[in-house]
Amino acid sequence: MARKKIIAGNWKMNKTPTEAVALIEELKPLVANDEADVVFCVPAIDIIPAVEAVKGSNIRIGAENMYFEESGAYTGEIAPAMLCDAGVEYVVLGHSERREYFAETDETVNKKVKKAFEHGLTPIICCGESLTQRKQGIYIEWIRMQIKIAFQDVTAEQAKKAVIAYEPIWAIGTGETATAEQAQEVCAAIRGCIREIYDEDTAEAIRIQYGGSVNAGNAAELFSKPDIDGGLVGGASLKADFGKIVNYK
Ligand code: PGA
């Protein structure tokens, strides 16, 4: 069974609502491609105009984060039901920037993953090692641990619909992409870990992206690897280049 590629932009903390609509209008014709799922993960304040702007196109909207409670006294946070009501279908969880600057842990990521599924949102679950961990040769073990915690108490049926983004921290925003072989090695190990936790069907169904300095020049090679089902793209998702990444073939 061939997995459909999923190519997602992670806008991070860029673009005002007005700028977001302008960028979507610019990219809409460039990312028209039914062979892959195309997702724009945008800042919370851009979600409502972005959902409106993508109507009638192949683009789906994702959030960059959400909280794991239903509602209540959590000033500044956004609840899953709010995302759903606004027309969001995907949510990035556990991005390394959230872990580093906002103290997210594997445990909070797991709570968020379960909440996302309860609400019918598709989580894009991020994992990845630091440069030190890579040099120490413990990156596979580290990532297996991140995956095992993120998927605690997640059913096989849910896991089949999940998206995992392997993003080596040393490759994010640095221009230093992992080689296609390095990315494939870890994505295959992640699929193996899912096979151990669940079964062959789940491992074959789950989609695993690579992220970290993906651009129009390296997307085709990365996405041709057997265990790489697309990309999570930061910097290059804010430019016309994103169209080339989506149409990498
Ligand atoms: P980058 O970011 O493509 O700018 O390296 C990727 C990400 O953080 O998702």
Side-chain angles (χ1 to χ4, degrees):
M1 183 200 66
R3 289 179 295 272
K4 193 174 184 188
K5 292 271 194 280
I6 174 161
I7 300 169
N10 172 15
W11 287 14
K12 310 195 179 188
M13 197 176 74
N14 294 293
K15 303 296 170 186
T16 67
T18 309
E19 291 166 347
V21 172
L23 180 61
I24 288 168
E25 292 307 334
E26 182 194 338
L27 292 182
K28 224 189 260 183
L30 306 179
V31 302
N33 175 356
D34 291 333
E35 280 179 48
D37 288 330
V38 178
V39 186
F40 288 11
C41 301
V42 305
I45 199 159
D46 296 345
I47 286 171
I48 289 175
V51 167
E52 191 58 35
V54 301
K55 275 198 180 136
S57 80
N58 61 316
I59 305 166
R60 297 288 171 269
I61 296 298
E64 298 178 11
N65 182 32
M66 63 165 213
Y67 200 48
F68 52 73
E69 295 289 352
E70 292 294 333
S71 64
Y74 304 102
T75 303
E77 291 296 316
I78 299 199
M82 297 172 186
L83 296 181
C84 293
D85 186 60
V88 166
E89 293 174 51
Y90 295 83
V91 58
V92 178
L93 297 176
H95 190 279
S96 62
E97 288 150 16
R98 301 272 345 148
R99 295 175 190 257
E100 183 180 350
Y101 306 131
F102 305 99
E104 292 222 16
T105 64
D106 291 321
E107 285 72 22
T108 59
V109 171
N110 174 241
K111 286 184 183 176
K112 291 179 180 192
V113 169
K114 287 186 287 191
K115 239 339 148 193
F117 279 123
E118 266 178 44
H119 286 266
L121 290 160
T122 300
I124 299 177
I125 304 160
C126 301
C127 60
E129 82 285 3
S130 66
L131 189 57
T132 309
Q133 290 164 335
R134 177 154 283 264
K135 285 186 177 155
Q136 289 168 334
I138 58 156
Y139 55 99
I140 299 277
E141 284 144 285
W142 175 263
I143 289 157
R144 281 172 54 86
M145 183 197 68
Q146 288 184 316
I147 295 297
K148 284 185 178 175
I149 300 175
F151 282 87
Q152 298 249 315
D153 302 318
V154 172
T155 68
E157 285 320 300
Q158 291 171 331
K160 281 183 184 145
K161 298 191 200 109
V163 178
I164 296 173
Y166 165 56
E167 298 204 305
I169 298 168
W170 47 271
I172 295 178
T174 58
E176 192 188 335
T177 320
T179 64
E181 287 69 33
Q182 286 173 323
Q184 164 61 22
E185 180 201 18
V186 178
C187 291
I190 292 170
R191 200 176 303 286
C193 185
I194 293 293
R195 191 177 291 116
E196 281 172 35
I197 303 171
Y198 300 100
D199 49 39
E200 185 63 31
D201 281 0
T202 311
E204 282 303 312
I206 200 165
R207 292 187 291 178
I208 305 174
Q209 300 173 311
Y210 167 77
S213 300
V214 174
N215 59 43
N218 58 31
E221 196 191 352
L222 285 160
F223 300 171
S224 72
K225 292 292 175 192
D227 288 295
I228 303 181
D229 305 315
L232 183 58
V233 184
S237 72
L238 299 166
K239 306 186 275 196
D241 255 21
F242 195 58
K244 295 193 187 131
I245 296 171
V246 168
N247 294 289
Y248 64 95
K249 274 190 194 155

